[in-house]
Amino acid sequence: MNSYILSDMTWPEIESAFKDVKIAIIPVGAQEQHGHHIAEGCDSYRAGEFSKLLTERNYPSVALAPTINYGVSPHHMNFPGTISLKPETLIALLDDIVTSLSQHGIEKFLVINGHGGNTSTLNVAAEKIARDKNVSIAVSKYVDAASDVIQENITSEHFGHACEREVSESLYLYPSIVRKDKLQAAEYNDSFALNVRKRKYIKLVHQFDDVTKNGNLGDGRKGSYELGEKIINQALENLTGFIKEFIEE
Ligand SMILES: [Zn+2]
C-alpha cells in the first residue's frame, strides 16, 4: 500500500497506518452546473483526484478522508441539477469529520477545496473548529497554489468556473466529465454582477445566470490536457512544500 485512502482500508490497516500519519486530507467539492461542457460533479472529482495525488506524494505522513461531494452553491440553483448545502450544514459536516478523526489521534487537517463558493464557509469552519476542538486546520483552494501557471496561460478577462482552467484540470484529472464536442465560450449577460466581477476587492452575492447565460465563464475551447498537467503539478509541488512544514510545526 503506497497511499492511505481511508475508505479503501480496514480498521487494522488504519490502526497501523495512523502510527505514521500526521495529517488527514479532507477534499470538499460541489454538485453544481458547469455549463454545457463539464458534468456537475466537476469540483468534487477535481478535489478528490487532486487529493489522491497529494496523498500518494506525501506517503506515509498523510491519509485521505472521503470527499464531501456537496458544497455551498446557492448561486447556481437556477440551473437544473445543482444541489446546495447551507453554510451551516457544511460547517457541521466538517466539524463531525474532524471530531471523529481527532478521536483516532489525528491533530492536523488539510482541507482541499475545489469550489470557490465554499471558501468563505470553510474559512469560518476552520476558525471555529480548530479553536473548539484544539486541533490544527489548514484550508486551501488548491488551484490558488498554481497561480503562476494560471496567470501565464489564461488570457480570458473572466474565468474561474467551467472555463479553460476547469476544462484543462478535468481533462488531466478525470476526463470522462468533459464533453469535448460541446466546448464553448461564455455567453455573458451585460449586467451589474458581471461588471462587479472585474473588481477583485468586492464580493457581491448574486445568481450565476445574471452573469452568464450558458453557465460557464471564459472559453472552454482553450482548455487542454497539457495546461491541466502544468496546473496540477505546480499545485502539488507547492502544497507538498506546505505539508512538510505543517508536519514539523
Ligand atoms: Zn467548478
PDB file of all heavy atoms in Angstrom, residues 37 154 156 158-159 161-165 167 183-186 188 216-223:
ATOM      1  N   HIS A  37     -20.416  21.911 -20.953  1.00  0.00           N
ATOM      2  CA  HIS A  37     -19.291  21.049 -21.317  1.00  0.00           C
ATOM      3  C   HIS A  37     -18.571  20.336 -20.169  1.00  0.00           C
ATOM      4  O   HIS A  37     -17.642  19.587 -20.428  1.00  0.00           O
ATOM      5  CB  HIS A  37     -18.289  21.833 -22.199  1.00  0.00           C
ATOM      6  CG  HIS A  37     -17.830  23.140 -21.626  1.00  0.00           C
ATOM      7  ND1 HIS A  37     -17.754  24.292 -22.383  1.00  0.00           N
ATOM      8  CD2 HIS A  37     -17.444  23.477 -20.396  1.00  0.00           C
ATOM      9  CE1 HIS A  37     -17.317  25.271 -21.622  1.00  0.00           C
ATOM     10  NE2 HIS A  37     -17.118  24.805 -20.416  1.00  0.00           N
ATOM     11  N   ILE A 154      -3.637  31.831 -18.925  1.00  0.00           N
ATOM     12  CA  ILE A 154      -5.057  32.127 -19.171  1.00  0.00           C
ATOM     13  C   ILE A 154      -5.238  33.620 -19.428  1.00  0.00           C
ATOM     14  O   ILE A 154      -4.841  34.445 -18.607  1.00  0.00           O
ATOM     15  CB  ILE A 154      -5.930  31.625 -18.000  1.00  0.00           C
ATOM     16  CG1 ILE A 154      -5.803  30.087 -17.926  1.00  0.00           C
ATOM     17  CG2 ILE A 154      -7.397  32.037 -18.190  1.00  0.00           C
ATOM     18  CD1 ILE A 154      -6.675  29.400 -16.933  1.00  0.00           C
ATOM     19  N   SER A 156      -8.350  35.011 -20.768  1.00  0.00           N
ATOM     20  CA  SER A 156      -9.742  35.491 -20.726  1.00  0.00           C
ATOM     21  C   SER A 156      -9.914  36.501 -19.599  1.00  0.00           C
ATOM     22  O   SER A 156      -9.341  36.324 -18.516  1.00  0.00           O
ATOM     23  CB  SER A 156     -10.710  34.331 -20.483  1.00  0.00           C
ATOM     24  OG  SER A 156     -10.704  33.445 -21.564  1.00  0.00           O
ATOM     25  N   HIS A 158     -12.625  37.116 -17.826  1.00  0.00           N
ATOM     26  CA  HIS A 158     -13.297  36.429 -16.720  1.00  0.00           C
ATOM     27  C   HIS A 158     -13.005  34.938 -16.845  1.00  0.00           C
ATOM     28  O   HIS A 158     -13.099  34.388 -17.938  1.00  0.00           O
ATOM     29  CB  HIS A 158     -14.815  36.617 -16.800  1.00  0.00           C
ATOM     30  CG  HIS A 158     -15.248  38.039 -16.787  1.00  0.00           C
ATOM     31  ND1 HIS A 158     -15.257  38.810 -15.649  1.00  0.00           N
ATOM     32  CD2 HIS A 158     -15.674  38.844 -17.787  1.00  0.00           C
ATOM     33  CE1 HIS A 158     -15.693  40.023 -15.941  1.00  0.00           C
ATOM     34  NE2 HIS A 158     -15.936  40.079 -17.230  1.00  0.00           N
ATOM     35  N   PHE A 159     -12.669  34.303 -15.749  1.00  0.00           N
ATOM     36  CA  PHE A 159     -12.575  32.838 -15.745  1.00  0.00           C
ATOM     37  C   PHE A 159     -12.733  32.377 -14.294  1.00  0.00           C
ATOM     38  O   PHE A 159     -12.877  33.197 -13.392  1.00  0.00           O
ATOM     39  CB  PHE A 159     -11.258  32.346 -16.374  1.00  0.00           C
ATOM     40  CG  PHE A 159     -10.007  32.731 -15.626  1.00  0.00           C
ATOM     41  CD1 PHE A 159      -9.449  31.854 -14.691  1.00  0.00           C
ATOM     42  CD2 PHE A 159      -9.394  33.952 -15.836  1.00  0.00           C
ATOM     43  CE1 PHE A 159      -8.291  32.200 -13.998  1.00  0.00           C
ATOM     44  CE2 PHE A 159      -8.245  34.310 -15.139  1.00  0.00           C
ATOM     45  CZ  PHE A 159      -7.699  33.430 -14.216  1.00  0.00           C
ATOM     46  N   HIS A 161     -14.844  29.436 -13.584  1.00  0.00           N
ATOM     47  CA  HIS A 161     -15.930  28.465 -13.468  1.00  0.00           C
ATOM     48  C   HIS A 161     -16.251  27.870 -14.837  1.00  0.00           C
ATOM     49  O   HIS A 161     -16.646  28.595 -15.751  1.00  0.00           O
ATOM     50  CB  HIS A 161     -17.190  29.113 -12.880  1.00  0.00           C
ATOM     51  CG  HIS A 161     -18.307  28.128 -12.725  1.00  0.00           C
ATOM     52  ND1 HIS A 161     -18.348  27.201 -11.706  1.00  0.00           N
ATOM     53  CD2 HIS A 161     -19.394  27.870 -13.491  1.00  0.00           C
ATOM     54  CE1 HIS A 161     -19.414  26.438 -11.851  1.00  0.00           C
ATOM     55  NE2 HIS A 161     -20.069  26.815 -12.929  1.00  0.00           N
ATOM     56  N   ALA A 162     -16.087  26.542 -14.944  1.00  0.00           N
ATOM     57  CA  ALA A 162     -16.363  25.837 -16.201  1.00  0.00           C
ATOM     58  C   ALA A 162     -15.650  26.519 -17.373  1.00  0.00           C
ATOM     59  O   ALA A 162     -16.132  26.517 -18.504  1.00  0.00           O
ATOM     60  CB  ALA A 162     -17.876  25.733 -16.448  1.00  0.00           C
ATOM     61  N   CYS A 163     -14.494  27.091 -17.066  1.00  0.00           N
ATOM     62  CA  CYS A 163     -13.697  27.869 -18.021  1.00  0.00           C
ATOM     63  C   CYS A 163     -12.554  26.989 -18.548  1.00  0.00           C
ATOM     64  O   CYS A 163     -12.516  25.793 -18.287  1.00  0.00           O
ATOM     65  CB  CYS A 163     -13.109  29.061 -17.272  1.00  0.00           C
ATOM     66  SG  CYS A 163     -12.164  28.496 -15.830  1.00  0.00           S
ATOM     67  N   GLU A 164     -11.595  27.608 -19.271  1.00  0.00           N
ATOM     68  CA  GLU A 164     -10.461  26.835 -19.783  1.00  0.00           C
ATOM     69  C   GLU A 164      -9.638  26.207 -18.651  1.00  0.00           C
ATOM     70  O   GLU A 164      -9.038  25.147 -18.827  1.00  0.00           O
ATOM     71  CB  GLU A 164      -9.581  27.676 -20.703  1.00  0.00           C
ATOM     72  CG  GLU A 164      -9.143  29.034 -20.183  1.00  0.00           C
ATOM     73  CD  GLU A 164     -10.127  30.148 -20.572  1.00  0.00           C
ATOM     74  OE1 GLU A 164     -11.328  30.011 -20.261  1.00  0.00           O
ATOM     75  OE2 GLU A 164      -9.691  31.151 -21.167  1.00  0.00           O
ATOM     76  N   ARG A 165      -9.610  26.856 -17.481  1.00  0.00           N
ATOM     77  CA  ARG A 165      -8.858  26.271 -16.353  1.00  0.00           C
ATOM     78  C   ARG A 165      -9.521  24.982 -15.874  1.00  0.00           C
ATOM     79  O   ARG A 165      -8.866  23.953 -15.721  1.00  0.00           O
ATOM     80  CB  ARG A 165      -8.771  27.268 -15.191  1.00  0.00           C
ATOM     81  CG  ARG A 165      -7.727  26.886 -14.163  1.00  0.00           C
ATOM     82  CD  ARG A 165      -8.036  27.473 -12.783  1.00  0.00           C
ATOM     83  NE  ARG A 165      -8.991  26.626 -12.111  1.00  0.00           N
ATOM     84  CZ  ARG A 165     -10.035  27.050 -11.400  1.00  0.00           C
ATOM     85  NH1 ARG A 165     -10.288  28.325 -11.273  1.00  0.00           N
ATOM     86  NH2 ARG A 165     -10.848  26.198 -10.829  1.00  0.00           N
ATOM     87  N   VAL A 167     -11.729  23.106 -17.501  1.00  0.00           N
ATOM     88  CA  VAL A 167     -11.695  22.094 -18.569  1.00  0.00           C
ATOM     89  C   VAL A 167     -10.321  21.415 -18.572  1.00  0.00           C
ATOM     90  O   VAL A 167     -10.222  20.189 -18.618  1.00  0.00           O
ATOM     91  CB  VAL A 167     -12.009  22.728 -19.948  1.00  0.00           C
ATOM     92  CG1 VAL A 167     -11.667  21.772 -21.086  1.00  0.00           C
ATOM     93  CG2 VAL A 167     -13.477  23.148 -20.035  1.00  0.00           C
ATOM     94  N   LEU A 183     -17.589  21.993 -26.155  1.00  0.00           N
ATOM     95  CA  LEU A 183     -16.798  23.073 -25.543  1.00  0.00           C
ATOM     96  C   LEU A 183     -17.196  24.417 -26.139  1.00  0.00           C
ATOM     97  O   LEU A 183     -17.336  24.550 -27.358  1.00  0.00           O
ATOM     98  CB  LEU A 183     -15.302  22.820 -25.771  1.00  0.00           C
ATOM     99  CG  LEU A 183     -14.737  21.597 -25.038  1.00  0.00           C
ATOM    100  CD1 LEU A 183     -13.308  21.311 -25.502  1.00  0.00           C
ATOM    101  CD2 LEU A 183     -14.783  21.778 -23.523  1.00  0.00           C
ATOM    102  N   GLN A 184     -17.378  25.420 -25.286  1.00  0.00           N
ATOM    103  CA  GLN A 184     -17.826  26.727 -25.793  1.00  0.00           C
ATOM    104  C   GLN A 184     -17.314  27.867 -24.922  1.00  0.00           C
ATOM    105  O   GLN A 184     -16.853  27.656 -23.792  1.00  0.00           O
ATOM    106  CB  GLN A 184     -19.351  26.763 -25.897  1.00  0.00           C
ATOM    107  CG  GLN A 184     -20.069  26.425 -24.610  1.00  0.00           C
ATOM    108  CD  GLN A 184     -21.580  26.313 -24.796  1.00  0.00           C
ATOM    109  OE1 GLN A 184     -22.321  26.916 -24.058  1.00  0.00           O
ATOM    110  NE2 GLN A 184     -22.041  25.540 -25.767  1.00  0.00           N
ATOM    111  N   ALA A 185     -17.410  29.069 -25.488  1.00  0.00           N
ATOM    112  CA  ALA A 185     -17.075  30.288 -24.745  1.00  0.00           C
ATOM    113  C   ALA A 185     -18.310  30.726 -23.954  1.00  0.00           C
ATOM    114  O   ALA A 185     -19.433  30.340 -24.280  1.00  0.00           O
ATOM    115  CB  ALA A 185     -16.670  31.381 -25.721  1.00  0.00           C
ATOM    116  N   ALA A 186     -18.077  31.543 -22.935  1.00  0.00           N
ATOM    117  CA  ALA A 186     -19.197  32.072 -22.132  1.00  0.00           C
ATOM    118  C   ALA A 186     -20.070  32.984 -22.990  1.00  0.00           C
ATOM    119  O   ALA A 186     -19.572  33.696 -23.857  1.00  0.00           O
ATOM    120  CB  ALA A 186     -18.650  32.848 -20.943  1.00  0.00           C
ATOM    121  N   TYR A 188     -21.992  35.950 -22.051  1.00  0.00           N
ATOM    122  CA  TYR A 188     -22.224  36.829 -20.904  1.00  0.00           C
ATOM    123  C   TYR A 188     -23.487  37.658 -21.049  1.00  0.00           C
ATOM    124  O   TYR A 188     -23.875  38.030 -22.151  1.00  0.00           O
ATOM    125  CB  TYR A 188     -21.030  37.776 -20.728  1.00  0.00           C
ATOM    126  CG  TYR A 188     -19.764  37.067 -20.326  1.00  0.00           C
ATOM    127  CD1 TYR A 188     -18.653  37.035 -21.178  1.00  0.00           C
ATOM    128  CD2 TYR A 188     -19.671  36.416 -19.099  1.00  0.00           C
ATOM    129  CE1 TYR A 188     -17.495  36.370 -20.818  1.00  0.00           C
ATOM    130  CE2 TYR A 188     -18.515  35.750 -18.734  1.00  0.00           C
ATOM    131  CZ  TYR A 188     -17.430  35.735 -19.605  1.00  0.00           C
ATOM    132  OH  TYR A 188     -16.289  35.072 -19.236  1.00  0.00           O
ATOM    133  N   ASN A 216     -21.096  29.010 -18.092  1.00  0.00           N
ATOM    134  CA  ASN A 216     -19.638  28.993 -17.908  1.00  0.00           C
ATOM    135  C   ASN A 216     -19.057  30.397 -18.035  1.00  0.00           C
ATOM    136  O   ASN A 216     -19.693  31.322 -18.518  1.00  0.00           O
ATOM    137  CB  ASN A 216     -18.938  28.019 -18.865  1.00  0.00           C
ATOM    138  CG  ASN A 216     -18.984  28.396 -20.323  1.00  0.00           C
ATOM    139  OD1 ASN A 216     -20.014  28.273 -20.983  1.00  0.00           O
ATOM    140  ND2 ASN A 216     -17.858  28.872 -20.846  1.00  0.00           N
ATOM    141  N   LEU A 217     -17.828  30.518 -17.542  1.00  0.00           N
ATOM    142  CA  LEU A 217     -17.024  31.734 -17.738  1.00  0.00           C
ATOM    143  C   LEU A 217     -15.920  31.384 -18.733  1.00  0.00           C
ATOM    144  O   LEU A 217     -15.722  30.208 -19.070  1.00  0.00           O
ATOM    145  CB  LEU A 217     -16.394  32.177 -16.411  1.00  0.00           C
ATOM    146  CG  LEU A 217     -17.339  32.505 -15.245  1.00  0.00           C
ATOM    147  CD1 LEU A 217     -16.526  32.864 -14.002  1.00  0.00           C
ATOM    148  CD2 LEU A 217     -18.294  33.650 -15.600  1.00  0.00           C
ATOM    149  N   GLY A 218     -15.175  32.396 -19.176  1.00  0.00           N
ATOM    150  CA  GLY A 218     -14.001  32.166 -20.017  1.00  0.00           C
ATOM    151  C   GLY A 218     -14.343  31.463 -21.315  1.00  0.00           C
ATOM    152  O   GLY A 218     -15.398  31.705 -21.908  1.00  0.00           O
ATOM    153  N   ASP A 219     -13.449  30.558 -21.739  1.00  0.00           N
ATOM    154  CA  ASP A 219     -13.629  29.863 -23.015  1.00  0.00           C
ATOM    155  C   ASP A 219     -13.139  28.417 -22.896  1.00  0.00           C
ATOM    156  O   ASP A 219     -11.928  28.159 -22.936  1.00  0.00           O
ATOM    157  CB  ASP A 219     -12.843  30.607 -24.110  1.00  0.00           C
ATOM    158  CG  ASP A 219     -13.169  30.074 -25.501  1.00  0.00           C
ATOM    159  OD1 ASP A 219     -13.763  28.978 -25.596  1.00  0.00           O
ATOM    160  OD2 ASP A 219     -12.824  30.750 -26.479  1.00  0.00           O
ATOM    161  N   GLY A 220     -14.100  27.511 -22.754  1.00  0.00           N
ATOM    162  CA  GLY A 220     -13.768  26.092 -22.579  1.00  0.00           C
ATOM    163  C   GLY A 220     -12.956  25.529 -23.732  1.00  0.00           C
ATOM    164  O   GLY A 220     -12.192  24.578 -23.553  1.00  0.00           O
ATOM    165  N   ARG A 221     -13.079  26.114 -24.943  1.00  0.00           N
ATOM    166  CA  ARG A 221     -12.369  25.590 -26.125  1.00  0.00           C
ATOM    167  C   ARG A 221     -10.861  25.744 -25.987  1.00  0.00           C
ATOM    168  O   ARG A 221     -10.086  25.094 -26.674  1.00  0.00           O
ATOM    169  CB  ARG A 221     -12.832  26.331 -27.395  1.00  0.00           C
ATOM    170  CG  ARG A 221     -14.316  26.125 -27.688  1.00  0.00           C
ATOM    171  CD  ARG A 221     -14.792  27.072 -28.764  1.00  0.00           C
ATOM    172  NE  ARG A 221     -14.574  28.477 -28.375  1.00  0.00           N
ATOM    173  CZ  ARG A 221     -14.918  29.527 -29.117  1.00  0.00           C
ATOM    174  NH1 ARG A 221     -15.487  29.348 -30.285  1.00  0.00           N
ATOM    175  NH2 ARG A 221     -14.687  30.753 -28.689  1.00  0.00           N
ATOM    176  N   LYS A 222     -10.434  26.642 -25.100  1.00  0.00           N
ATOM    177  CA  LYS A 222      -8.992  26.876 -24.918  1.00  0.00           C
ATOM    178  C   LYS A 222      -8.366  25.927 -23.894  1.00  0.00           C
ATOM    179  O   LYS A 222      -7.177  26.019 -23.604  1.00  0.00           O
ATOM    180  CB  LYS A 222      -8.755  28.328 -24.473  1.00  0.00           C
ATOM    181  CG  LYS A 222      -9.127  29.343 -25.550  1.00  0.00           C
ATOM    182  CD  LYS A 222      -8.831  30.754 -25.051  1.00  0.00           C
ATOM    183  CE  LYS A 222      -9.183  31.795 -26.106  1.00  0.00           C
ATOM    184  NZ  LYS A 222      -9.217  33.148 -25.528  1.00  0.00           N
ATOM    185  N   GLY A 223      -9.151  25.056 -23.315  1.00  0.00           N
ATOM    186  CA  GLY A 223      -8.619  24.115 -22.315  1.00  0.00           C
ATOM    187  C   GLY A 223      -7.798  23.015 -22.968  1.00  0.00           C
ATOM    188  O   GLY A 223      -8.022  22.678 -24.126  1.00  0.00           O
TER     189      GLY A 223
END
